[in-house]
Amino acid sequence: MTPEAADDPILSRLPQRFHALQWHFYTYGVPAGGVELARSAICTQAFRLGDAAWGIQFHAEVTLDDAAR
């Protein structure tokens, strides 16, 4: 998580560091006016744009059991 995530209404609930599935080889730039909220060693993993739009790159829906299967 980036320092800007500390007061984010959604992502501030996540721990500062956590394991997440990243299943991609490409990335994107944070949109103009956006705020980067999370990043890995590879790329931006989450951002917020304004007060009502968030984007994530990691797969938040995948659990450890899902990945093991």
Side-chain angles (χ1 to χ4, degrees), residues 2-69:
T2 64
E4 292 78 10
D7 62 353
D8 184 76
I10 295 177
L11 294 181
S12 64
R13 298 172 185 263
L14 294 174
Q16 181 63 33
R17 296 180 63 88
F18 59 91
H19 292 279
L21 179 64
Q22 174 184 302
W23 195 302
H24 58 272
F25 57 89
Y26 52 86
T27 187
Y28 58 88
V30 175
V35 177
E36 185 181 56
L37 300 173
R39 83 168 359 270
S40 68
I42 304 296
C43 63
T44 296
Q45 294 293 334
F47 70 90
R48 180 183 67 244
L49 183 59
D51 294 331
W54 285 261
I56 63 170
Q57 178 84 325
F58 66 93
H59 290 273
E61 76 284 4
V62 176
T63 67
L64 182 57
D65 288 340
D66 292 334
R69 283 189 297 239

